[in-house]
């Protein structure tokens, strides 16, 4: 459990993310569980051979097939370019940023690689501490996907990722992820952290995961109690809609709930 700083008078509480399920915070106010998920990671210290041996046969076959297909499209060999030093990252940023503008992460969530000049300066400064790794994948000399990762001690985080929708059929993001992991097995990091959220690519490529939850810890005010009840009702409705979406007769109902 992280140490919570004093709560200022005008604030309602805390959002604690990726808290391991086994950890129970001491909190006298409202405690609301927002979501549960597995936080996946790759054990880089175990080595590439152990990682590949731990993948399912289907995942290994899929990775091989995707890489072969993309290499054929690229003219024979995968063109993956690595960026690590300050000068390299200064050259990486405008190319990756142009890619980020095309991605769904940017369009739907504003979560593409940042374009803020202050962030870029910090990135270049951090590179001098050997705390950034980045990659670009090219298809026929055109940038198709990017990956940017920041370090936290011996852990490298899956921070910013995206691909040009024009190359979606070639699974450029998955191919780049595999190439990056292969690089990292000979790097200084002990693990690669896929961060919050779940996805098929994370489950398929991870070595293991930690069961986590996100908690809202709030002051026990009347307004906060009402907000918790509303959010709880919304979450319950979404869970029902998700289950209904798998039943043909209820798919229309599920779509209406999501739109609402």
């Amino acid at each position: 459990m992280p140490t919570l700083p004093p709560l200022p008078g005008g604030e309602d509480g805390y959002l604690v993310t990726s808290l391991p399920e086994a950890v129970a915070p001491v909190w006298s106010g409202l405690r609301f569980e927002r979501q549960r998920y597995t936080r996946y990671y790759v054990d880089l210290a175990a080595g590439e051979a152990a990682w590949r041996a731990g993948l399912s046969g289907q995942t290994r076959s899929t990775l091989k097939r995707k890489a072969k297909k993309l290499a054929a499209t690229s003219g024979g060999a995968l063109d993956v370019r690595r960026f690590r030093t300050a000068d390299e990252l200064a050259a990486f940023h405008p190319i990756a940023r142009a890619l980020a503008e095309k991605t769904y992460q940017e369009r739907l969530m504003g979560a593409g690689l940042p374009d803020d000049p202050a962030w870029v300066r910090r990135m270049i400064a951090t590179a001098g501490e050997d705390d950034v790794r980045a990659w670009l994948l090219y298809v026929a000399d055109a940038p198709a996907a990017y990956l940017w990762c920041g370090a936290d001690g011996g852990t490298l985080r899956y921070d910013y990722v995206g691909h040009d929708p024009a190359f979606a059929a070639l699974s450029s993001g998955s191919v780049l992820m595999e190439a990056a992991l292969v690089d990292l097995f000979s790097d200084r990091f002990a693990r690669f952290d896929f961060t919050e959220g779940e996805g098929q690519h994370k489950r398929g490529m991870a070595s293991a995961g930690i069961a986590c939850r996100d908690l809202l810890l709030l002051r026990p005010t009347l307004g906060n109690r009402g907000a918790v009840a509303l959010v709880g009702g919304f979450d319950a409705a979404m869970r029902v809609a998700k289950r209904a979406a798998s039943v043909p007769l209820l798919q229309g109902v599920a779509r209406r709930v999501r739109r609402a």
Side-chain angles (χ1 to χ4, degrees):
M1 181 66 195
T3 300
L4 299 176
L7 189 62
E11 302 293 339
D12 288 298
Y14 308 90
L15 170 62
V16 182
T17 62
S18 289
L19 186 67
E21 287 187 359
V23 177
V26 177
W27 179 252
S28 59
L30 298 176
R31 184 184 310 182
F32 179 70
E33 185 177 287
R34 193 68 178 84
Q35 62 176 338
R36 288 177 179 256
Y37 52 89
T38 300
R39 184 157 176 157
Y40 291 102
Y41 66 92
V42 174
D43 182 1
L44 298 172
E48 182 181 355
W51 170 68
R52 290 194 183 278
L55 300 177
S56 69
Q58 182 179 359
T59 297
R60 289 195 298 271
S61 175
T62 298
L63 290 174
K64 184 177 180 179
R65 174 176 50 80
K66 289 179 177 180
K68 184 177 179 180
K69 179 180 179 181
L70 195 143
T73 304
S74 300
L78 292 178
D79 186 2
V80 178
R81 304 179 191 181
R82 288 83 175 171
F83 303 82
R84 178 171 177 173
T85 68
D87 288 343
E88 290 171 349
L89 288 165
F92 163 88
H93 185 267
I95 301 171
R97 179 58 203 167
L99 269 177
E101 291 174 348
K102 304 176 184 179
T103 65
Y104 77 88
Q105 290 94 337
E106 177 78 8
R107 289 184 288 101
L108 300 181
M109 299 175 286
L113 187 73
D115 197 24
D116 176 38
W119 185 92
V120 176
R121 288 193 295 271
R122 288 195 301 272
M123 174 190 70
I124 294 173
T126 303
E129 302 171 6
D130 196 35
D131 276 351
V132 178
R133 299 290 185 272
W135 296 263
L136 283 169
L137 172 66
Y138 284 75
V139 176
D141 293 326
Y146 78 91
L147 174 62
W148 189 99
C149 302
D152 181 9
T155 297
L156 196 67
R157 296 184 311 272
Y158 185 65
D159 284 332
Y160 298 103
V161 60
H163 66 271
D164 188 331
F167 299 102
L170 296 175
S171 304
S172 55
S174 297
V175 173
L176 179 57
M177 185 72 256
E178 181 185 11
L181 286 173
V182 170
D183 283 350
L184 291 173
F185 283 112
S186 58
D187 210 320
R188 69 175 182 84
F189 301 102
R191 66 194 65 82
F192 182 86
D193 177 13
F194 278 114
T195 69
E196 294 97 339
E198 296 191 25
Q200 180 57 42
H201 69 292
K202 294 182 180 183
R203 290 192 296 271
M205 301 184 80
S207 303
I210 299 173
C212 293
R213 54 185 175 154
D214 291 353
L215 292 181
L216 279 169
L217 305 177
L218 301 173
R219 296 185 192 275
T221 65
L222 184 61
N224 285 341
R225 292 181 188 278
V228 164
L230 286 172
V231 173
F234 172 79
D235 288 348
M238 291 304 293
R239 287 193 295 270
V240 170
K242 185 176 180 180
R243 288 194 296 269
S246 63
V247 181
L249 291 176
L250 298 178
Q251 287 175 355
V253 175
R255 285 194 294 271
R256 288 195 291 274
V257 170
R258 284 175 176 149
R259 283 197 298 270

